[in-house]
Amino acid sequence: KNEVEQSPQNLTAQEGEFITINCSYSVGISALHWLQQHPGGGIVSLFMLSSGKKKHGRLIATINIQEKHSSLHITASHPRDSAVYICAGNTGNQFYFGTGTSLTVIP
Amino acid sequence: DGGITQSPKYLFRKEGQNVTLSCEQNLNHDAMYWYRQDPGQGLRLIYYSQIVNDFQKGDIAEGYSVSREKKESFPLTVTSAQKNPTAFYLCASSIVTRENQPQHFGDGTRLSIL
């Protein structure tokens, strides 16, 4: 069993839909990261959070420390949001990565 | 602009051959990492380095070697001992502080066997 589990594995949405990707972790972590991997393979860090909620544009990330659960929300989704979204937890230099959620937004 | 540069983007290896993947960063980060990504799996740590001339094995170091002679550079050699080298390789870097820091990633190198 992976230390970090994501759901769903694959997600297809119509443009404009509200999207939620979930992440659960079973190890103690000091921070939770959401990453975006584009089709070419490069990865961009979207959020790093230890508690509460963060918002950047149409993206919102939340974390519930007690339940060891985080969610990434995308409002008013757009085809350019199509990518793989990866959840990761870290404690010091040790990172635990989920297997990713592949999102496709259809025009 | 600051960032991480990985080269080449695509690399082919013959049986029994060693190949070296390049990773350079101009972010002045102390820590650098090499990850391997396989379909359906999360990123797995191969090696990491927190300071020049020092590096530590990750979860899947067998068949790989690294060096850290300069702060900016952390090349990865895939040796002939790595029997299943076909994968996507990602290099990352981060600041080393007491607080949590995000990792910055390169665009990756895709290695295939001929």
Side-chain angles (χ1 to χ4, degrees):
Chain A
K1 188 181 186 298
N2 288 341
E3 293 88 354
V4 176
E5 299 276 357
Q6 288 184 236
S7 63
Q9 270 191 303
N10 297 286
L11 182 56
T12 300
Q14 287 293 133
E15 184 173 355
E17 282 185 9
F18 180 82
I19 288 163
T20 296
I21 299 170
N22 295 300
C23 174
S24 296
Y25 53 93
S26 58
V27 291
I29 61 171
S30 50
L32 192 290
H33 305 254
W34 281 102
L35 312 172
Q36 182 188 52
Q37 185 170 31
H38 286 283
I43 290 178
V44 174
S45 177
L46 298 174
F47 294 103
M48 182 182 73
L49 63 165
S50 304
S51 63
K53 175 176 157 179
K54 285 191 176 181
K55 184 176 190 293
H56 185 252
R58 296 179 293 105
L59 302 178
I60 302 166
T62 63
I63 187 168
N64 184 317
I65 303 294
Q66 286 74 29
E67 294 186 4
K68 293 188 174 181
H69 181 270
S70 176
S71 293
L72 176 69
H73 305 286
I74 304 175
T75 62
S77 60
H78 190 275
R80 65 175 175 266
D81 296 325
S82 298
V84 174
Y85 293 85
I86 299 170
C87 170
N90 84 281
T91 172
N93 283 318
Q94 176 77 49
F95 278 77
Y96 304 92
F97 292 89
T99 55
T101 294
S102 179
L103 171 66
T104 302
V105 181
I106 300 170
Chain B
D1 282 2
I4 299 180
T5 302
Q6 288 188 241
S7 63
K9 194 168 177 66
Y10 300 95
L11 187 57
F12 299 91
R13 195 191 90 168
K14 292 181 182 178
E15 295 285 347
Q17 189 180 47
N18 293 353
V19 291
T20 298
L21 284 60
S22 169
C23 178
E24 304 276 332
Q25 54 101 358
N26 60 3
L27 299 165
N28 200 32
H29 286 173
D30 289 304
M32 296 187 74
Y33 310 79
W34 273 107
Y35 293 99
R36 171 180 170 139
Q37 188 178 38
D38 293 282
Q41 297 192 40
L43 275 67
R44 291 184 291 167
L45 182 65
I46 304 172
Y47 270 97
Y48 70 97
S49 167
Q50 286 196 276
I51 195 168
V52 173
N53 292 323
D54 186 56
F55 47 82
Q56 306 296 327
K57 291 183 179 180
D59 301 317
I60 55 166
E62 187 174 345
Y64 300 97
S65 66
V66 293
S67 63
R68 188 87 186 274
E69 297 176 2
K70 298 186 299 181
K71 188 175 185 178
E72 305 78 23
S73 179
F74 192 41
L76 173 74
T77 296
V78 184
T79 74
S80 56
Q82 173 48 247
K83 298 306 178 189
N84 185 24
T86 297
F88 188 62
Y89 292 87
L90 283 155
C91 178
S93 71
S94 68
I95 302 171
V96 175
T97 70
R98 286 187 181 181
E99 299 172 347
N100 295 301
Q101 298 291 341
Q103 290 188 325
H104 297 253
F105 287 85
D107 287 337
T109 293
R110 192 165 300 277
L111 175 62
S112 302
I113 296 299
L114 284 178

